Amino acid sequence: MTSRLDRIAQQRRQKLDRIRGRGIDPYPYGYHRSHTTQQAVEKLKKWESKDATEKAADRLAGKLQVNVAGRIMAIRRMGKSAFFDLRDGSGRIQLLFQDINQFDEKDLELFKDLDIGDIIGVSGPLLWTKSGEPTVWVAEFTLLAKSLQPLPEKWHGLSDVDKRYRQRYLDLIANAEAKEIFRVRSQVIAAIREFLNQRGFLEVETPVLQPLAGGALARPFTTHHHALDQDFYLRIALELHLKRLIIGGFDKVYELGRIFRNEGISTKHNPEFTMLESYEAYVDYQDVMKMLERMVSLIARKIMGRYEIEFGDNNLNFKPPWQRLELRQAIIKYSGIDFEQYPDADSLRAEMLKLKMEVDPQKDRGRLIDELISTFVEPNMIQPTFLLDYPVEMSPLAKTKPGNQRMVERFEAFAGGMEIANAFTELNDPIEQRERFLQQQKERKPEDETTETIDQDFLLALEYGMPPTGGLGVGIDRLVMLLTGQQSIRQVILFPQLREKP
């Protein structure tokens, strides 16, 4: 049985055939636009502020004439007249076809074959309707692209979440708020670049295909380079190449890059995501902390117009200074476990089992502590908060704290109950770095696909000397989630990974 949507699509193809049969190209090569819809509205508002004599002179001189183009989003026919809503990338404007009989027979037939979703160009003077609606009085119109599929119902937009992600173009057409999210995302990235560039950072690019998967604990995606007959990995971090640049003499570098981790998918995780990593010589994690809270607060105020952002049932206040908590004390507060009392994985695992946690017997002490963070601490980190000072097992690339070789100078930033940033005072002792990598390799289980790989070239680079350095990683997708109030990472990624439909 043919569905309603199939019948509509069939009718539109019939209209397409009729249009072509009249010698009209339904997909012409271009169209001269004099104004966007928003520019046209602003032009009309500016004209309205003039006195009556100037307004009359402008209209007589044709100064209100515009050419606009966009997608038809609504059609209201009223006898011989019709009103269309036209939308382009900047906004919308109303079109008035005052008397369709004014058009010649060819244009009249074309007018009858126009549908919601078609893209058209129109020319004519601007005016205000009696209801105060900015409008183009259409003198001429041109079909620019015939839409063969019906748009989602205008009354409720595109509400099917799966369809919104799989057919993002429909989401952007039907839901103005979706388009606004991605405008904000673009502005956030631009503001990050502006902030770092003004501070003297150099934006760089590092390889996506890498012979070793290093810089983080994550399962990589693997691919094969046929010309070299060699396996490569999609990068799981930006860190090790950026540090090479610090060693090479660039004192401040950053990269906004795509990261790929062959792991789970959730409301907070997507296998492909965007990360900012920055490295600055001659600073430590305290300096990086101050830079991060300043950067995020300035972005919130500049783009959203305020420090306080509504996120779910909470108002997040990004105004500095953010709360600072020691990681050990936070875990004690929210779980009752003091990890310092359990110096190995077995003893810590036994204590976690008392809390009726499902504990993976293959996880080492560092990852067990990470599980305590994600289970007990992270959900309570609603307001922007820095967790400070982590066990060395969790941070093989970070410098130990003076006087405490079991802890490193590291912070993670949280807000809205999720991690948004990670930073170290970077380990720059090549001998200690090698020993940590070797220790990790020694503890690696045969089935473990997430252990740090030993990058011999990076270790060699460290032997040439890396200055004291502060490093930072910021999850761009999660930051955009917070600033736009979105609860799922898929809502802020234009084309998220999805399971293939059966």
Side-chain angles (χ1 to χ4, degrees):
M1 183 175 178
T2 305
S3 71
R4 172 177 170 272
L5 294 181
D6 288 336
R7 289 195 300 273
I8 293 174
Q10 185 178 16
Q11 290 168 2
R12 292 194 175 203
R13 287 185 179 273
Q14 291 170 352
K15 291 180 179 181
L16 178 68
D17 291 340
R18 288 201 298 267
I19 292 168
R20 282 188 164 135
R22 300 186 200 110
I24 298 173
D25 182 359
Y27 304 102
Y29 288 87
Y31 183 78
H32 171 66
R33 244 187 352 174
S34 65
H35 298 77
T36 65
T37 59
Q38 189 60 41
Q39 288 169 342
V41 171
E42 292 302 318
K43 181 182 180 71
L44 188 59
K45 289 179 179 178
K46 187 176 180 180
W47 172 80
E48 183 65 25
S49 66
K50 296 181 178 181
D51 61 39
T53 302
E54 287 181 300
K55 289 163 70 174
D58 285 352
R59 188 172 290 285
L60 192 62
K63 291 185 178 180
L64 289 183
Q65 188 81 10
V66 295
N67 287 8
V68 296
R71 188 182 298 275
I72 301 170
M73 298 303 296
I75 297 176
R76 300 177 294 279
R77 301 182 191 272
M78 301 176 183
K80 295 180 180 180
S81 299
F83 290 94
F84 286 13
D85 286 346
L86 190 79
R87 183 185 298 167
D88 64 7
S90 69
R92 63 168 290 278
I93 197 167
Q94 182 173 259
L95 307 181
L96 169 60
F97 293 82
Q98 179 64 39
D99 182 358
I100 60 174
N101 291 327
Q102 68 175 307
F103 299 111
D104 61 30
E105 184 178 351
K106 189 175 181 180
D107 284 344
L108 183 58
E109 293 302 315
L110 175 60
F111 177 85
K112 293 176 182 177
D113 284 334
L114 293 179
D115 291 300
I116 292 174
D118 290 351
I119 298 173
I120 63 173
V122 303
S123 63
L126 293 164
L127 58 86
W128 295 101
T129 61
K130 292 180 180 179
S131 60
E133 185 78 15
T135 302
V136 179
W137 184 323
V138 179
E140 296 179 354
F141 68 96
T142 303
L143 177 64
L144 302 178
K146 182 65 183 171
S147 173
L148 301 182
Q149 294 289 336
L151 298 183
E153 291 292 337
K154 65 178 180 179
W155 304 115
H156 53 73
L158 183 58
S159 57
D160 183 329
V161 173
D162 185 70
K163 193 168 188 176
R164 289 180 64 183
Y165 298 151
R166 291 185 188 277
Q167 296 177 273
R168 182 66 82 184
Y169 47 90
L170 286 183
D171 186 27
L172 297 174
I173 291 171
N175 299 315
E177 63 273 18
K179 187 178 287 186
E180 183 58 27
I181 289 169
F182 294 104
R183 287 190 198 279
V184 169
R185 181 188 176 102
S186 178
Q187 291 169 347
V188 167
I189 292 172
I192 288 172
R193 283 194 166 101
E194 180 182 12
F195 177 87
L196 293 173
N197 291 344
Q198 287 179 350
R199 293 174 72 96
F201 281 80
L202 178 71
E203 183 174 9
V204 298
E205 296 174 309
T206 60
V208 173
L209 291 177
Q210 300 182 356
L212 297 171
L217 294 174
R219 181 187 296 115
F221 287 94
T222 308
T223 187
H224 187 76
H225 194 299
H226 290 284
L228 297 177
D229 193 22
Q230 179 181 347
D231 285 341
F232 279 83
Y233 301 96
L234 299 184
R235 63 188 178 191
I236 59 174
L238 308 173
E239 181 165 350
L240 299 187
H241 281 86
L242 291 175
K243 285 183 179 178
R244 286 171 168 90
L245 300 180
I246 295 291
I247 294 166
F250 289 116
D251 288 344
K252 298 180 180 182
V253 295
Y254 76 93
E255 182 172 6
L256 281 156
R258 302 293 274 185
I259 301 297
F260 307 87
R261 296 183 181 176
N262 196 357
E263 298 175 339
I265 297 176
S266 73
T267 57
K268 298 179 183 179
H269 300 88
N270 193 66
E272 177 183 1
F273 58 98
T274 303
M275 178 75 76
L276 162 71
E277 286 200 31
S278 70
Y279 293 85
E280 181 176 359
Y282 311 110
V283 303
D284 64 11
Y285 77 142
Q286 294 286 348
D287 299 303
V288 176
M289 205 180 308
K290 294 174 185 176
M291 183 183 79
L292 175 63
E293 65 184 354
R294 177 168 176 76
M295 179 176 73
V296 174
S297 64
L298 286 175
I299 289 172
R301 189 176 65 181
K302 178 178 180 179
I303 296 174
M304 310 309 295
R306 57 195 184 279
Y307 289 123
E308 288 196 14
I309 305 295
E310 185 176 333
F311 186 75
D313 296 330
N314 300 288
N315 283 326
L316 310 182
N317 190 344
F318 288 100
K319 186 175 181 178
W322 298 358
Q323 182 180 210
R324 286 153 167 77
L325 296 175
E326 286 188 2
L327 174 67
R328 179 186 174 191
Q329 297 304 319
I331 293 178
I332 292 172
K333 177 179 179 180
Y334 293 109
S335 75
I337 293 178
D338 182 356
F339 60 74
E340 284 285 87
Q341 302 300 314
Y342 306 97
D344 55 61
D346 290 338
S347 61
L348 181 58
R349 187 180 298 109
E351 191 66 17
M352 292 169 68
L353 287 171
K354 293 179 182 178
L355 298 178
K356 302 188 183 306
M357 295 181 67
E358 292 185 9
V359 183
D360 186 344
Q362 302 299 325
K363 286 187 175 180
D364 58 25
R365 183 174 182 267
R367 280 186 278 183
L368 290 176
I369 295 173
D370 190 54
E371 195 165 322
L372 286 172
I373 297 170
S374 60
T375 302
F376 295 103
V377 179
E378 187 169 332
N380 290 286
M381 299 293 99
I382 303 303
Q383 292 301 323
T385 301
F386 293 115
L387 289 186
L388 311 177
D389 303 335
Y390 282 59
V392 67
E393 299 97 321
M394 298 182 69
S395 312
L397 293 158
K399 209 173 184 70
T400 55
K401 289 185 67 64
N404 188 348
Q405 294 300 301
R406 292 181 60 83
M407 304 293 285
V408 297
E409 292 196 338
R410 172 186 178 185
F411 75 75
E412 288 185 302
F414 294 84
M418 61 184 172
E419 177 202 344
I420 59 171
N422 185 26
F424 310 146
T425 300
E426 302 294 338
L427 178 58
N428 61 343
D429 180 337
I431 296 174
E432 184 179 352
Q433 184 67 83
R434 183 178 295 275
E435 289 174 351
R436 289 202 202 172
F437 281 161
L438 289 172
Q439 183 64 28
Q440 274 199 326
Q441 192 175 59
K442 181 180 177 181
E443 296 174 356
R444 178 177 181 175
K445 303 288 192 299
E447 65 277 9
D448 189 353
E449 300 179 62
T450 64
T451 301
E452 188 86 39
T453 305
I454 298 180
D455 187 333
Q456 297 291 351
D457 183 72
F458 170 67
L459 291 173
L460 176 62
L462 272 185
E463 292 185 2
Y464 286 91
M466 184 174 82
T469 298
L472 169 68
V474 179
I476 299 300
D477 309 293
R478 291 184 182 180
L479 179 58
V480 175
M481 285 174 63
L482 292 172
L483 293 177
T484 58
Q486 303 306 307
Q487 300 296 315
S488 171
I489 197 169
R490 295 182 181 184
Q491 292 170 303
V492 300
I493 295 176
L494 278 168
F495 302 103
Q497 269 74 38
L498 302 167
R499 189 181 303 277
E500 186 175 350
K501 278 192 170 183

